[in-house]
């Protein structure tokens, strides 16, 4: 550990619409010392997640708001550099929640050790082998009760969660149609992820008609990452007994209120089910997803893409890429702008 200061990006305003540079403030403070039962982590990667936008608001979402004047809350991949805990020896890699800063002190047991060896890509533990994989896995298999061979629609299909949903459903022999923005992402969904078809939502004014072309008898499962008009269009195309997993509603995260679909009646007509879920509730079962997805990765059946940016300075501006689609894979920022460290 050669650093002598702790760089931080503080959240100083609750953004209205897309976060702006003025919503964050840079400061340097001393590196904190861990107390009894605590560890000092060096944050290697700050993870960029759509949920962070909700944490910037006064109302928060499923978690309290990220406090003003404190480092912006963020998922992290980190390494223990000082330890007063038997659970976390120095050198251990962990994932958990930290903030936009180089170092953080956490109580033992509040971060998850990563079973990482140097032959692996550490970053996978924030993607297919971490919460993104678990979200796709439990959303599809638990919430949607996916059955082999069903007809599946997935939005944000080129995104971190969506790309895994496409591949998991294909492994189960389903017919999968993805929705993504722009020709390059659409090509990746077909050519690399193996979807049967893809809809470029940016190129269609009438998403109800675009979806209907691919599901003339209605869809069985819709894995929703975006909400809004695309959710409503999917609900115009339900088959009898369809299931919809509400995973995310990113199309509304920068709005003051997220509108619901106007066609809820279709749930009754099609005897369909719609259910929201939070991956954190599956914490005790993460290992199930990790084990099975890990095998599929080893067998070459699952691919994942990382969009790694480098440098502490770019943290505030990088989060907006999630809302503008200006990223290509699981978005994360390596805090040190060099090639040292794992992955
Ligand atoms: N329930 C849970 O526990 C849980 C856990 C993790 C994530 N999530 C949710 O899952 C969703 C995906 O998260 P992720 O981390 O995998 O992010 P991601 O899909 O990698 O990135 C976000 C993508 O959303 C798409 N998007 C943004 N605004 C949109 C709009 N107005 N209309 C349509 N698409 C839009 C963009 O895709 P294009 O580039 O294709 O336009 C963008 O690339 C988010 O809603 C997130 O909140 C939920």
């Amino acid at each position: 550990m050669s650093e002598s200061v702790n760089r931080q990006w503080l959240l100083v305003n609750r953004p209205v619409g897309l976060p702006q540079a003025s919503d964050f403030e840079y400061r340097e403070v001393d590196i904190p010392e861990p107390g009894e039962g605590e560890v000092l982590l060096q944050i290697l990667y700050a993870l960029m997640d759509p949920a962070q936008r909700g944490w910037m608001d006064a109302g928060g979402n499923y978690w309290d708001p990220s406090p003003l004047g404190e480092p912006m809350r963020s998922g992290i991949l980190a390494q223990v550099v000082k330890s007063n805990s038997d659970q976390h020896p120095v050198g251990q890699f962990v994932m958990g929640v930290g903030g936009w800063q180089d170092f953080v002190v956490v109580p033992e047991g509040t971060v998850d050790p990563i079973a990482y060896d140097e032959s692996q890509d550490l970053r996978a533990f924030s993607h297919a082998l971490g919460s993104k994989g678990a979200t796709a896995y439990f959303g599809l298999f638990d919430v949607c009760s996916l059955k082999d061979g069903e007809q599946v629609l997935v939005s944000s299909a080129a995104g971190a969660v969506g790309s895994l949903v496409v591949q998991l459903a294909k492994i189960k022999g389903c017919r999968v149609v993805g929705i993504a923005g722009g020709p390059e992402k659409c090509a990746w969904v077909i050519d690399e992820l193996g979807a049967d078809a893809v809809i470029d939502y940016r190129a269609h004014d009438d998403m109800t008609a675009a979806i209907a072309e691919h599901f003339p008898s209605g869809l069985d499962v819709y894995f929703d990452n975006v909400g809004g008009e695309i959710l409503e269009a999917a609900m115009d195309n339900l088959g009898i007994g369809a299931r919809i997993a509400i995973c995310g509603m990113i199309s509304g995260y920068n709005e003051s209120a997220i509108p619901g679909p106007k066609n809820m009646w279709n749930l009754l007509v099609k005897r369909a089910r719609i259910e929201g879920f939070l991956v954190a509730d599956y914490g005790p079962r993460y290992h199930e997803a990790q084990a099975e997805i890990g095998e599929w990765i080893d067998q070459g059946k699952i691919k994942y893409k990382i969009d790694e940016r480098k440098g502490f300075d770019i943290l505030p501006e990088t989060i907006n890429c999630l809302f503008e689609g200006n990223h290509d894979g699981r978005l994360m920022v390596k805090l040190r702008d060099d090639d040292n460290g794992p992955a």
Side-chain angles (χ1 to χ4, degrees):
M1 195 180 103
S2 53
E3 287 80 353
S4 54
V5 294
N6 188 20
R7 299 171 296 172
Q8 300 181 321
W9 277 110
L10 313 179
L11 178 68
V12 293
N13 288 312
R14 305 263 174 230
V16 177
L18 272 179
Q20 307 295 316
S22 56
D23 296 323
F24 305 96
E25 204 171 280
Y26 178 80
R27 104 177 150 184
E28 293 179 0
V29 295
D30 290 341
I31 298 172
E33 283 295 323
E36 198 50 41
E38 292 183 332
V39 291
L40 176 67
L41 304 178
Q42 178 162 20
I43 297 174
L44 305 172
Y45 294 96
L47 311 175
M48 296 284 145
D49 287 301
Q52 286 174 278
R53 180 63 190 83
W55 300 340
M56 293 176 194
D57 289 338
N61 41 26
Y62 50 86
W63 206 349
D64 291 342
S66 191
L68 291 179
E70 303 271 332
M72 176 61 214
R73 186 188 296 141
S74 163
I76 56 169
L77 288 176
Q79 190 168 26
V80 177
V81 288
K82 283 187 184 177
S83 178
N84 293 323
S85 161
D86 294 341
Q87 291 179 40
H88 303 293
V90 169
Q92 183 183 65
F93 291 97
V94 297
M95 57 186 165
V97 176
W100 288 354
Q101 56 188 336
D102 289 307
F103 297 93
V104 64
V105 166
V106 297
E108 62 185 0
T110 60
V111 287
D112 296 320
I114 296 172
Y116 161 74
D117 69 63
E118 282 177 10
S119 68
Q120 292 172 299
D121 179 353
L122 179 69
R123 304 168 307 173
F125 290 91
S126 74
H127 192 338
L129 294 177
S131 67
K132 304 294 179 188
T135 305
Y137 185 93
F138 293 113
L140 205 48
F141 299 149
D142 244 65
V143 180
C144 293
S145 312
L146 185 77
K147 296 185 207 61
D148 292 2
E150 286 192 314
Q151 310 263 330
V152 177
L153 178 68
V154 188
S155 53
S156 194
V161 173
S163 61
L164 296 170
V165 172
V166 169
Q167 296 175 91
L168 293 178
K170 284 307 298 176
I171 287 170
K172 297 293 176 186
C174 295
R175 185 172 157 274
V176 183
V177 178
I179 299 174
E184 281 173 20
K185 288 191 180 181
C186 286
W188 187 65
V189 170
I190 297 274
D191 299 341
E192 298 294 328
L193 304 182
D196 298 280
V198 68
I199 301 168
D200 182 350
Y201 72 92
R202 293 176 203 257
H204 285 88
D205 291 332
D206 184 348
M207 280 299 287
T208 295
I211 295 170
E213 268 184 40
H214 295 284
F215 297 96
S217 342
L219 56 86
D220 298 310
V221 162
Y222 173 47
F223 194 105
D224 186 27
N225 285 310
V226 306
E229 290 171 11
I230 293 179
L231 169 60
E232 196 167 287
M235 286 180 57
D236 280 333
N237 285 286
L238 302 178
I240 304 280
R243 286 89 65 205
I244 301 170
I246 300 295
C247 176
M249 296 200 162
I250 195 168
S251 69
Y253 289 176
N254 289 298
E255 310 296 328
S256 54
I258 300 180
K262 293 191 290 291
N263 49 2
M264 295 292 281
W265 169 248
N266 290 348
L267 294 177
L268 184 154
V269 174
K270 300 295 180 179
R271 286 80 100 198
R273 176 160 67 77
I274 186 166
E275 184 176 340
F277 74 102
L278 201 53
V279 70
D281 294 339
Y282 288 91
R285 294 181 54 197
Y286 266 28
H287 61 279
E288 294 173 32
Q290 202 178 51
E292 207 161 9
I293 290 175
E295 271 181 35
W296 286 323
I297 291 174
D298 291 345
Q299 293 164 4
K301 291 182 179 167
I302 286 193
K303 298 177 183 166
Y304 61 91
K305 210 191 251 188
I306 305 274
D307 184 340
E308 177 185 308
R309 316 277 169 105
K310 282 185 187 154
F312 199 85
D313 294 352
I314 64 167
L315 280 165
E317 70 203 50
T318 305
I319 189 86
N320 283 349
C321 297
L322 291 170
F323 308 111
E324 293 163 339
N326 294 332
H327 67 113
D328 191 15
R330 201 280 186 253
L331 188 61
M332 55 174 66
V333 176
K334 187 175 188 188
L335 298 192
R336 285 172 50 161
D337 187 12
D338 59 25
D339 289 323
N340 294 334

